[in-house]
Amino acid sequence: MVTNTATSVVTIERFIIEQERKHPEATGALSGILYDLALASKMIANKVRLAGLADVLGARETSNVQGEIQQKLDVIANDIIVKALDHGGRLCAMASEEEEGIIEIPDRFDRGSYVLLFDPLDGSSNIDVNIPVGTIFSVLRRVTPEGGVGTVADMLQPGYRQVAAGYVIYGSSTMLVYTTGQGAHGFTLDPAIGEYLLSHPNIRIPEHGRYLSVNEAYEQHWTPTVAALIQRYRGMDGQREAMNVRYVGSLVADFHRNLLGGGLFAYPANTKSPTGKLRLLYECNPLAFICEQAGGAAIDGRQRILDVAPTALHQRSPYFVGSKADVAIASALLAGG
Ligand code: P6P
């Protein structure tokens, strides 16, 4: 008898269906959102891969709500996601880093029970130099009456209410990592067949990190407590073995490396960014959900990120995310204020 040692081939669609079957009450709407996001990410991957050739590089003259010069690709990515998800009848509204207000579902389409928040192409300032960029998304169940238009109230929910979250990293390979609260799972795109295949089931982040991801250029802008914390991670006070500093400057790239290999990503508040730089609703919360599902943790310096009660769509937050033991060090030191 020949023992079959081949690794089972599981597409993301098959995996989503199997996950849905664990919830008899599921209507399939959330699964449909995930299918559509996977499709949109394949289309974005195609644009990112060809960026150098198809003259979509370089900044447009327009800027987004953050006042950042929009790279052509992040506008293209934004539109791909909106058009892939606006007609499925599963969402009642969307919100994007690239758009100041919420994105309504056109009257000609049915409105569903969920809202989608996303950063279509995070790290887009790195596009021209071929550094990995990413898409980050978060799904919440609406809190306004079914059937009506979605409102900002549907978006301003604490992160622990997320029903799904994920990111796509457009790197040496294209990977989609997502959670619906049943673990964090990674899928690698096989471009030859255009399918995402399960490559990293049940991701677990190591308890202690190898890598420290922080922009040390802001050192003189940190509070003394934050500076002491970073010194701790550097092994300078003898309380912890020194971590290797790895900082790409592209959140999804830094987060993904730390998720798989163990590490801590820190974007503290500083005098230039007094509330931090990263956006709570569509960057900090989704990555925190994934990280906790993988056994890690995420805080804003005072509390669990997923417990923060949002007050504005594009609000920023200080952010410490990664290996649980290293986030615990930040909690202990920063709790002292
Ligand atoms: P800084 C990219 O612009 C981004 O939003 C994240 O992807 C990244 O982690 C961060 O900003 C880098 O910010 O201030 O270190 O350049």
Side-chain angles (χ1 to χ4, degrees):
M1 180 181 75
V2 175
T3 305
N4 175 1
T5 58
T7 306
S8 302
V9 175
V10 179
T11 63
I12 192 168
E13 290 82 4
R14 167 58 48 207
F15 190 88
I16 291 169
I17 289 170
E18 298 305 330
Q19 294 270 310
E20 181 190 317
R21 283 188 178 147
K22 296 175 185 173
H23 296 272
E25 76 286 358
T27 63
L30 182 57
S31 297
I33 293 167
L34 294 170
Y35 293 149
D36 293 345
L37 284 165
L39 171 65
S41 71
K42 293 178 195 176
M43 297 166 73
I44 295 169
N46 194 40
K47 294 289 184 188
V48 169
R49 300 280 167 240
L50 296 175
L53 303 175
D55 188 31
V56 292
L57 288 177
R60 294 180 58 158
E61 58 289 341
T62 58
S63 63
N64 63 12
V65 63
Q66 322 298 340
E68 294 162 352
I69 295 295
Q70 283 181 314
Q71 300 289 339
K72 288 178 185 174
L73 263 179
D74 53 16
V75 176
I76 292 169
N78 185 72
D79 296 349
I80 285 173
I81 293 172
V82 172
K83 289 184 171 54
L85 282 112
D86 66 357
H87 57 282
R90 300 163 183 122
L91 300 175
C92 63
M94 297 184 242
S96 167
E97 183 199 42
E98 299 303 329
E99 306 210 20
E100 184 163 1
I102 65 170
I103 302 162
E104 294 194 357
I105 301 299
D107 289 338
R108 66 184 181 280
F109 300 136
D110 291 339
R111 294 187 178 92
S113 307
Y114 297 95
V115 292
L116 173 69
L117 302 93
F118 59 94
D119 183 353
L121 208 59
D122 179 78
S124 54
S125 55
N126 294 296
I127 290 169
D128 286 4
V129 292
N130 211 5
I131 285 174
V133 292
T135 297
I136 310 170
F137 63 86
S138 171
V139 183
L140 293 160
R141 191 178 293 278
R142 74 180 305 173
V143 294
T144 53
E146 289 291 338
V149 295
T151 72
V152 177
D154 294 305
M155 313 289 177
L156 299 185
Q157 300 183 56
Y160 67 81
R161 291 206 190 131
Q162 291 175 100
V163 292
Y167 64 88
V168 182
I169 179 167
Y170 309 101
S172 50
S173 64
T174 298
M175 267 195 74
L176 190 155
V177 177
Y178 86 92
T179 184
T180 55
Q182 303 168 92
H185 311 283
F187 301 81
T188 300
L189 181 64
D190 180 340
I193 59 173
E195 287 282 5
Y196 276 112
L197 303 180
L198 180 64
S199 53
H200 297 71
N202 289 309
I203 295 170
R204 305 300 295 168
I205 183 171
E207 178 84 6
H208 297 272
R210 290 172 59 195
Y211 302 115
L212 169 63
S213 302
V214 67
N215 186 338
E216 296 176 314
Y218 299 134
E219 186 140 14
Q220 71 272 26
H221 300 294
W222 294 332
T223 64
T225 310
V226 166
L229 172 66
I230 301 301
Q231 287 292 77
R232 169 76 52 94
Y233 292 136
R234 288 169 174 157
M236 304 300 278
D237 66 358
Q239 300 295 311
R240 191 207 186 281
E241 184 184 330
M243 300 169 83
N244 294 325
V245 177
R246 292 283 188 283
Y247 192 72
V248 177
S250 182
L251 173 60
V252 171
D254 283 315
F255 177 83
H256 183 70
R257 181 204 50 247
N258 292 348
L259 182 73
L260 298 187
L264 181 108
F265 176 95
Y267 205 109
N270 61 58
T271 50
K272 293 173 71 176
S273 307
T275 56
K277 175 179 183 183
L278 300 179
R279 288 85 173 183
L280 174 65
L281 292 180
Y282 43 80
E283 290 176 345
C284 298
N285 278 347
L287 297 185
F289 188 12
I290 288 169
C291 195
E292 288 196 359
Q293 285 291 308
I299 62 171
D300 65 357
R302 286 196 305 270
Q303 62 180 317
R304 181 183 179 228
I305 270 283
L306 296 183
D307 291 337
V308 174
T311 53
L313 198 53
H314 300 289
Q315 77 182 65
R316 300 173 190 267
S317 172
Y319 198 39
F320 303 82
V321 61
S323 294
K324 182 173 279 188
D326 294 308
V327 173
I329 292 172
S331 290
L333 266 72
L334 300 179

